[in-house]
């Protein structure tokens, strides 16, 4: 089977993906898959999705030539796909609109979501308000403390934020708790999963909803420069912004696809969040993929400056793209990401999200090794206003 | 004949339902687990479900999550759990042990390696909560002489019962309510209605679990089910007992349930 035609009927991307959940959720996942199959072929549903993306999100998002920064780096030209300009400030909204429309189609009046940094929580609370649904967001207690502005945003939008105090009190535990809620309230509730991970059909449907990013690039790049880029670069936590921009490029074999994981304090330190770079295959949160785990198969704690990349697993399609050789995956450390962050602020007047700063930093690393007529397209997946407290703290400044 | 099959056959002859308590291996600490297993068997447990601790127990409520966390503080891994079973087997060769847990520790060890090691340790059955029949490698377990136990839930469509029937052995475990382990609100009449269909389709004994809080409820379920599984309530007993009273308190609780079930039979 052609890579781009995956997953198979049971959600497999090669050996990865699948459905690994308790029996209680199987029927709900089957129902979701069936409903999605109908919806994607329903012109009215897709037209409404596109309408919302245009008028509510503000798509298409522009592509911007970071000329001054490219000149400074002295090599390849860097272009930015401006997902940071979307409503709510990141790519997450593309997916939450798609899933909320599915929830409405299925007659579900209550939606739940997990969130790490709070971006997916905010995007979920936003669409719940937009479509008049009850919204409950699970967030690790540590993250609630670290990301208080986003917690307040969600509350302003009418959502209930539930701090999760089990395990490491971060994103993975929030996901566990959201799953537990779903098991308990499966008939009334739609689970808006935030990344291209989880049990089938989530990796597929999140990818499809996020693919608008890459689809736009496919026409925008030739319009701007007369051709496709030499490489597409995106950060990878769960991997939704990356798969969104990679997927439409899979058949464009001359375009390199580069995913950038969070290297934290460095791969050698063990303190990172880079399962594709340094993990091994396993099963977590309903799917098989690369994981950060110890010798007993227990999931280990991850470390990254960016809460949005602080996740021990990665979407199954990325695992497959890695094994098949179609995409390459690298890791960028915290300090390198910080340099990417500051560079973009100073050279281009754009404050990027710390997640996206990993992709920027890798572009900055390879651009000088390339010629000036080569093109790097970086997915600027979100804006960095949410991160200014973290950055200030690292610089020893109290706001 | 497998130990599980033999146990159910004997109970059927006595017109009794099996009592299956659940504990997490290594809770409250690894030194106590084998002692607890012997205590449960002595108090009238017919089969014991031994939880393999996991860092992300997605299908469990807070009580069993805490048990996993207590065990993981002592770094109890799958190999340690197998060693506990082997030690239990040196003096008890009759009470079946079913390992219950999540996919990843087994996946990480490797299914074939695990099956062989588990059989050698004296494990009788395996229930991996997050491996549905479609993804199951039950054949590897069967070849090693280990039964593969599956969950069925109130949301399982009838067509899936047949799928489970193809891969299941030992017994099937009917999750008596939606939700995680330890939840409340069990509707006995509704549960009772499901059991005969499942038993017939699977050709196996049917155990009922999730939400069973006391001896009275266990006795009521024993009237229509082949086995009663008690998890969170037992784990609470461990959690709330001082270390030197854990075995005594558990034994007393399980003996009480056993007596109520036998009186109602």
């Amino acid at each position: 089977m052609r890579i781009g035609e995956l997953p198979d009927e049971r959600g497999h991307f090669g050996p990865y993906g699948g459905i690994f959940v308790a029996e209680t959720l199987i029927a709900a996942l089957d129902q979701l898959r069936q409903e999605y199959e109908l919806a994607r072929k329903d012109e009215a549903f897709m037209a409404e999705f596109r309408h919302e993306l245009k008028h509510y999100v503000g798509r298409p998002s522009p592509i911007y030539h970071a000329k001054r920064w490219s000149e400074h780096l002295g090599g390849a030209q860097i272009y930015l796909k401006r997902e940071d300009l979307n409503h709510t400030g990141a790519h997450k909204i593309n997916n939450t609109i798609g899933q909320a429309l599915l929830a409405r189609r299925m007659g579900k009046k209550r939606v739940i979501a997990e969130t790490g940094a709070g971006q997916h929580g905010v995007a979920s609370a936003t669409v719940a308000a937009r479509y008049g649904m009850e919204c409950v967001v699970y967030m690790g207690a540590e993250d609630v403390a670290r990301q208080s502005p986003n917690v307040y945003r969600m509350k302003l939008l009418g959502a209930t934020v539930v701090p999760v105090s089990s395990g490491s009190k971060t994103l993975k535990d929030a996901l566990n708790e959201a799953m537990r809620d779903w098991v308990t309230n499966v008939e009334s509730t739609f689970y808006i999963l935030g990344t291209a991970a989880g049990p089938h059909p989530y990796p597929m449907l999140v990818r499809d909803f996020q693919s608008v990013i890459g689809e736009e690039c496919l026409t925008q790049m030739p319009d701007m420069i007369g051709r496709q880029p030499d490489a597409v670069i995106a950060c990878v936590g769960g991997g939704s912004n990356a798969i969104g921009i990679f997927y439409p490029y899979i058949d464009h074999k001359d375009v390199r696809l580069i995913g950038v994981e969070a290297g934290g304090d460095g791969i050698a330190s063990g303190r990172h969040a880079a399962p594709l770079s340094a993990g091994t295959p396993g099963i977590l949160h309903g799917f098989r993929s690369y994981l950060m785990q110890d010798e007993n198969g227990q999931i280990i704690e991850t470390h990254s400056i960016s809460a949005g990349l602080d996740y021990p697993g990665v979407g199954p399609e990325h695992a497959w793209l890695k094994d098949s050789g179609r995409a390459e995956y690298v890791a960028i450390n915290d300090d390198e990401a910080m340099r990417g962050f500051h560079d973009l602020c100073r050279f281009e007047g754009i404050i990027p999200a710390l997640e996206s700063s990993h992709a920027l930093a890798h572009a900055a690393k390879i651009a000088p090794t390339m010629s000036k007529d080569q093109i790097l397209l970086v997915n600027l997946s979100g804006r960095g206003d949410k991160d200014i407290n973290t950055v200030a703290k690292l610089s020893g400044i109290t706001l | 004949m497998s130990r599980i099959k033999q146990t159910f056959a004997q109970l059927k002859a006595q017109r009794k339902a099996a009592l299956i308590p659940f504990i997490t291996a290594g809770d409250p600490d690894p030194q106590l687990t084998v002692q607890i297993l012997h205590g449960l068997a002595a108090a009238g447990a017919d089969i014991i479900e031994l939880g393999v601790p996991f860092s992300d127990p997605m299908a469990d409520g807070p009580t069993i999550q805490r048990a996993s966390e207590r065990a993981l503080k002592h770094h109890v891994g799958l190999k340690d759990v197998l060693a506990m079973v082997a030690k239990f087997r040196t003096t008890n060769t009759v009470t079946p042990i079913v390992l219950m847990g999540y996919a990843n520790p087994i996946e990480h060890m490797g299914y074939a390696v695990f099956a062989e090691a588990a059989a050698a340790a004296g494990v009788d059955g395996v229930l991996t909560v997050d491996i549905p029949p479609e993804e199951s490698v039950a054949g590897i377990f069967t070849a090693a002489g280990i039964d593969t136990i599956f969950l069925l839930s109130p949301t399982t469509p009838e067509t899936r019962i047949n799928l489970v029937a193809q891969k299941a052995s030992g017994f099937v475990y009917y999750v008596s309510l939606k939700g995680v382990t330890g939840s409340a609100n069990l509707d006995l009449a509704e549960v009772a209605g499901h059991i005969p269909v499942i038993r017939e389709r699977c050709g196996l004994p049917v155990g009922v679990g999730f939400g069973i809080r006391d001896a009275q409820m266990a006795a009521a379920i024993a009237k229509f089910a082949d086995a009663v599984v008690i998890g969170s309530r037992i784990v609470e007993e461990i959690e709330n007992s001082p270390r030197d009273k854990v075995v005594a308190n558990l034994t007393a609780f399980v003996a009480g349930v056993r007596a109520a079930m036998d009186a109602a039979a």
Side-chain angles (χ1 to χ4, degrees), chain A residues 12 180 283 288 293 297-298, chain B residues 55-57 60 104 107 135:
Chain A
H12 298 105
R180 289 178 190 123
I283 296 169
R288 182 183 280 122
Q293 54 185 326
Q298 308 293 348
Chain B
S55 51
D56 294 79
D60 284 300
N104 202 51
E107 165 111 350
E135 297 283 359

Side-chain angles (χ1 to χ4, degrees), chain B residues 7 12 20-21 24 28 39 41 44 53 56 64 93 103 106 117 126 187 192 247-248 255:
Chain B
T7 300
K12 196 177 178 185
I20 311 183
T24 297
D56 294 79
I64 294 178
T93 55
I106 299 178
V126 174
D187 182 342
V247 178

